[in-house]
Amino acid sequence: MFTNQLSSIGELTLAEHGDYLLDGKYLFEIGGPNKKFTQIADIPDSWLAIDNIETGFGARIPLWLFGMPY
């Protein structure tokens, strides 16, 4: 779902740090509710897409929200 939705709005590639890079600028790391920022710490324009959470906070975005553009 994540890759399907984001690839429809921009160029989605695998990232050196994190999981996916959108349009060469926005970095996303996908993980569960206990996922920390260690892998993408200090990288500008980076977010965590987190599964099994209802609401986000700061740069932690619920994974289900990425299905909304559909």
Side-chain angles (χ1 to χ4, degrees):
M1 173 192 60
F2 180 87
T3 57
N4 179 285
Q5 294 302 307
L6 264 63
S7 64
S8 70
I9 62 169
E11 182 183 359
L12 193 64
T13 58
L14 295 176
E16 184 176 331
H17 300 284
D19 291 324
Y20 297 101
L21 194 59
L22 180 64
D23 291 337
K25 180 177 181 180
Y26 305 106
L27 181 66
F28 293 93
E29 173 73 18
I30 300 173
N34 296 323
K35 183 72 174 176
K36 304 292 183 219
F37 284 92
T38 54
Q39 193 169 356
I40 58 172
D42 302 322
I43 299 176
D45 297 318
S46 61
W47 291 274
L48 295 176
I50 304 296
D51 197 15
N52 293 324
I53 63 172
E54 294 294 319
T55 59
F57 180 78
R60 292 173 57 92
I61 303 169
L63 188 58
W64 64 266
L65 281 176
F66 290 96
M68 297 302 277
Y70 182 72

